[in-house]
Amino acid sequence: MAEPAKKVAQQTEERLEGLADTVREKFDKVTEGTFRDRIKEGRFAEQGGPTQPDPNRKRD
């Protein structure tokens, strides 16, 4: 790869890394913490553990 192309590629990579950091920070701000932390804490898990089929539910 020619030197000017390498320089452009390096600058592009640096800009994309900066953009990714900015997006991550804004996402964390909107979700008030990291999404991954919320998942680890079980906030998206069903409350009360796994569900069991309702034996009284009518089946079609």
Side-chain angles (χ1 to χ4, degrees), residues 19-36:
L19 178 63
D21 289 339
T22 301
V23 169
R24 193 174 300 111
E25 288 170 7
K26 288 185 179 186
F27 183 82
D28 287 348
K29 189 175 183 180
V30 167
T31 60
E32 297 177 358
T34 64
F35 190 68
R36 183 176 51 151

Side-chain angles (χ1 to χ4, degrees), residues 4-19:
K6 285 183 180 181
K7 186 175 181 179
V8 169
Q10 182 65 36
Q11 289 173 339
T12 302
E13 183 178 357
E14 290 170 0
R15 289 181 70 191
L16 287 172
E17 287 174 355
L19 178 63

